[in-house]
Each structure stands twice: as structure tokens, then as C-alpha cells.
Amino acid sequence: GTPLAVNNATICSGGTATLIVTGGTGTATWTPGPTVTNTLVVSPLTTTTYTATKTGGCGTGTITATVSVIPTPTITAVNNSPVCAGTAFGLFGTGGGTYAWVGPGGFTSTLINPTITNVSLTNAGTYSVTATVSGCTSAPGTVAVTVNTVPATPTVGSNSPLCAGQNLSLTSSSVTGGSYSWNGPNSFTSAVQNPTIVGASTLAAGVYSVNATVAGCTSGNGTVN
């Protein structure tokens, strides 16, 4: 009679394989899996060998088939968000294989750790990455990227010129939600938007500068002499 035959199979973990016994007559009893049929559908977690024993007719006997299981890779995506517009941010994948990143604005990359430079608000959003090993592709790992606007450089003024002993008033334009950082002569510092130096001496003469920080992003320095 026709000799028995059965197919081997290779699947990704979580996948399904179909084993079919051909040849001979009668039905096949599978081990493992007590199904009595010529066809066995399986989803093993690891590589497994199945044995089919055919009885009840010509061409009976025992034959084996191996289902090889390739572990599906896992991947995690992280980044150094939030970042300020005009700077750079990196995307970081952990796992193995070949990589496929996608993101806002048509972004794609096959690097495990791509970098986007001179970012703008259009680069904000969700990025995802998959890893593929031996034809098996992971579920996507995702990460949200936040891009914050750099505040405008403050407009700065003062009540200069003035006489020694008078109060020196410094002013900065308002930056919504901003925190201020002043620096000036004679080791002057202040975190007030519009600071005053009471009874200023000649040591207070010179250039004063201030910047504003919003959500971790710092403006350029506005200056007044």
C-alpha cells in the first residue's frame, strides 16, 4: 500500500500548525492529543514531536512529525521625552532581531535606537516599533513623545540711568506659566519677573540678562545695559 507520510511544520509561538497523515487506510491516533483523525491542529508552546499511529487497514504503522516553535520576540519602546522644540530625542528599543519603527509625520526607521534632531511640534505623538526574528514579528511596543514649545525671549527694560543710592527697577515681558532667572553685575540673581535693587551702588552698573522657562524649556536671554 501507499506508505504513510506526515508533514513537519514551523510556527511562531502562539501560532497554529496543521499536521496531516497521508497514505494507507484507516484513521490515525495522535500522541500527544487523543484526537482520532488523519488531521491534527496544534498550537504547542515549545518545539514538540507528534506521533501518529494508523490502524484498521492496509499501510498501517507509526510516523512522527515535529512542530518547531520559534519564540516570538518581545520589545519595549522608551524615549527621553518630554523634549524642547529645536532639540533632539532618541527612541530606544529593547529586544532582538530586525526593527521597524513608525511614527508621526511619516517617520520610519529600521534602527533599534533612532534619533530625531531639530524636533518640532509635528514630531509629537505615539511611536511604535516591532522586532522580527526568523520571520516571527513581535507585538508592537509603543511610546508617547511630548514636544514642548520654547518660550519667546523676554523683552527687558529698566529705569536706568539713575543716581547711586536710588532703586534700580528691572522689568521683563510676561511669559505665561514661566519662571524667571536674572543674572547681573555684583553677583546679582533673582527669580522675580520684575526685580528691584534697593539703594543701588555704582557696582550695580552693567548688563543684566533674564530668561524664562516653561515646562522645562528655556528661552534665549533678554538683556538690558
Side-chain angles (χ1 to χ4, degrees), residues 21-95:
V21 178
T22 59
T25 60
T27 57
T29 300
W30 291 93
T31 303
T35 303
V36 179
T37 177
N38 288 339
T39 300
L40 180 67
V41 178
V42 293
S43 297
L45 298 178
T46 59
T47 296
T48 302
T49 297
Y50 296 85
T51 300
T53 301
K54 230 177 183 190
T55 59
C58 299
T60 60
T62 297
I63 194 168
T64 60
T66 298
V67 178
S68 301
V69 180
I70 300 173
T72 299
T74 58
I75 192 162
T76 301
V78 296
N79 78 304
N80 58 329
S81 171
V83 295
C84 302
T87 62
F89 68 80
L91 298 166
F92 306 97
T94 59

Side-chain angles (χ1 to χ4, degrees), residues 77-179:
V78 296
N79 78 304
N80 58 329
S81 171
V83 295
C84 302
T87 62
F89 68 80
L91 298 166
F92 306 97
T94 59
T98 58
Y99 302 89
W101 285 92
V102 295
F107 172 79
T108 61
S109 178
T110 57
L111 299 176
I112 182 174
N113 300 323
T115 298
I116 299 176
T117 59
N118 194 27
V119 300
S120 67
L121 297 184
T122 60
N123 297 118
T126 299
Y127 291 75
S128 65
V129 60
T130 57
T132 300
V133 176
S134 299
C136 296
T137 300
S138 69
T142 61
V143 62
V145 172
T146 299
V147 179
N148 293 325
T149 302
V150 176
T153 299
T155 301
V156 185
S158 76
N159 61 341
S160 173
L162 66 159
C163 300
Q166 293 180 319
N167 294 341
L168 170 59
S169 297
L170 300 167
T171 60
S172 170
S173 57
S174 180
V175 177
T176 302
S179 59

